[in-house]
C-alpha cells in the first residue's frame, strides 16, 4: 500500500474524530457488534483495534467479546464492548439475540469480494428488522484495501457501497487491518454516528422500518 493512500485514509480518520468534537454522547458504555461474511477480516480488524496485533493466519471465529476504551476528545471517552461474530449462524435465534445486543454495528466486507458486500448489505436489512427502525448507528467497512486499491473491482465495490450506505446514520469506510490503516478511525466514526443519532438538534424524525416496509407500493 502506497504512502499516499495511507496518508489520505488517515486524514479521513482525523475528520471523523473532529466530527465528535462538539456532539455529546448520551452515556459512556456501548455494545458494538462486528458482522460480515467469513474471511473478510472481522477478527483481524477487532484484534488490531483492541490489541494492536495482526496475524495472517485465519481461524474461524465462534464469538468473542472484547473490551476497549476509546478516547474521542479531551475529557471525553467511551468504553466499548466489542462482539466479534462468526461468519455464519446456524440458528436464527442466536443471530437475533446478537442483533438485539448491539447499540451500534460495524458491517465488514472485503473490497475485492462483491459477494461479501452483498452479505453486509443483507445484514444491514436484518439489523433494521431486528431493531424495528432504520436509523441504527453503523459503519460499512471495506477491509483489505491494501489488496485492491485502485483496481476496477475495488472501484466498483466502493461505488456500490457508497450509493447504498447514504443517510440513516450509516457511513462508508475503508481499512487495512494488516497495515493498521484507519482501524481506530472506524470506531471513532461509529461513535460519531451514535452522537448524531442521539443529538436532539440533528436527529431526524425517527422512521419505523416496519411501517416504511409495509407502506411501500
Amino acid at each position: 500500500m502506497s504512502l499516499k493512500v495511507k496518508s489520505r485514509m488517515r486524514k479521513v480518520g482525523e475528520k471523523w474524530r473532529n466530527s465528535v468534537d462538539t456532539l455529546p454522547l448520551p452515556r459512556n458504555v456501548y455494545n458494538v457488534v462486528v458482522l460480515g461474511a467469513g474471511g473478510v477480516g472481522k477478527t483481524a480488524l477487532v484484534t488490531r483495534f483492541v490489541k494492536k496485533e495482526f496475524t495472517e493466519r485465519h481461524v474461524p471465529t465462534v464469538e468473542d467479546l472484547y473490551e476497549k476504551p476509546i478516547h474521542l476528545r479531551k475529557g471525553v471517552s467511551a468504553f466499548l464492548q466489542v462482539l466479534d461474530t462468526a461468519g455464519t449462524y446456524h440458528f436464527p435465534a442466536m443471530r437475533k439475540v446478537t442483533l438485539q445486543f448491539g447499540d451500534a454495528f460495524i458491517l465488514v466486507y472485503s473490497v475485492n469480494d462483491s459477494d461479501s458486500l452483498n452479505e453486509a448489505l443483507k445484514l444491514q436489512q436484518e439489523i433494521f428488522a431486528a431493531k424495528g427502525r432504520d436509523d441504527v448507528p453503523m459503519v460499512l467497512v471495506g477491509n483489505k484495501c491494501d489488496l485492491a486499491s485502485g483496481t476496477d473491482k475495488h472501484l466498483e465495490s466502493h461505488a456500490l457501497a457508497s450509493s447504498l450506505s447514504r443517510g440513516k446514520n450509516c457511513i462508508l469506510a475503508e481499512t487495512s487491518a494488516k497495515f493498521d490503516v484507519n482501524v481506530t478511525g472506524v470506531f471513532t466514526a461509529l461513535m460519531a454516528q451514535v452522537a448524531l443519532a442521539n443529538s436532539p438538534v440533528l436527529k431526524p424524525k425517527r422512521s419505523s422500518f416496519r411501517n416504511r416496509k409495509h407502506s411501500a407500493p
Side-chain angles (χ1 to χ4, degrees):
M1 173 176 279
S2 70
L3 291 175
K4 184 177 180 180
V5 173
K6 286 183 179 181
S7 176
R8 175 173 58 83
M9 296 184 70
R10 287 197 175 99
K11 286 180 181 178
V12 171
E14 285 302 312
K15 181 176 72 173
W16 288 331
R17 182 179 293 278
N18 292 337
S19 70
V20 291
D21 274 352
T22 57
L23 293 175
L25 290 170
R27 61 181 192 274
N28 296 342
V29 180
Y30 293 91
N31 298 328
V32 175
V33 178
V34 182
L35 297 160
V40 297
K42 298 185 299 296
T43 299
L45 192 72
V46 172
T47 54
R48 174 64 84 177
F49 172 65
V50 175
K51 301 180 179 180
K52 301 299 181 184
E53 297 175 355
F54 177 82
T55 177
E56 295 276 4
R57 187 166 60 96
H58 172 63
V59 179
T61 301
V62 177
E63 200 166 80
D64 291 316
L65 184 65
Y66 299 84
E67 296 181 340
K68 171 78 173 181
I70 181 171
H71 177 72
L72 300 172
R73 63 181 186 271
K74 185 176 180 180
V76 178
S77 298
F79 188 80
L80 306 184
Q81 297 186 116
V82 184
L83 185 64
D84 179 21
T85 64
T88 57
Y89 278 84
H90 298 291
F91 304 102
M94 290 179 61
R95 173 169 285 185
K96 185 175 181 180
V97 170
T98 297
L99 298 184
Q100 291 294 348
F101 170 82
D103 299 312
F105 297 83
I106 294 175
L107 306 180
V108 186
Y109 70 97
S110 174
V111 297
N112 58 358
D113 181 355
S114 58
D115 288 340
S116 69
L117 173 57
N118 291 332
E119 176 65 18
L121 296 172
K122 178 183 174 184
L123 287 165
Q124 183 186 52
Q125 295 303 309
E126 290 187 24
I127 293 168
F128 292 161
K131 295 293 189 181
R133 65 183 203 274
D134 59 5
D135 60 350
V136 182
M138 63 179 68
V139 179
L140 181 62
V141 177
N143 191 34
K144 304 185 181 182
C145 65
D146 54 287
L147 297 181
S149 181
T151 65
D152 289 342
K153 185 176 290 188
H154 174 216
L155 294 174
E156 288 172 7
S157 68
H158 182 85
L160 177 59
S162 296
S163 67
L164 295 175
S165 64
R166 291 173 182 164
K168 300 182 179 66
N169 297 319
C170 176
I171 59 173
L172 174 65
E174 290 189 351
T175 63
S176 169
K178 181 176 183 178
F179 292 101
D180 195 15
V181 175
N182 217 22
V183 173
T184 300
V186 163
F187 289 86
T188 302
L190 187 64
M191 290 297 97
Q193 295 307 101
V194 170
L196 287 168
N198 289 277
S199 170
V201 176
L202 300 176
K203 182 169 62 174
K205 184 178 179 181
R206 174 167 290 183
S207 64
S208 168
F209 175 74
R210 293 189 181 93
N211 291 341
R212 181 172 61 85
K213 185 176 179 182
H214 291 158
S215 63

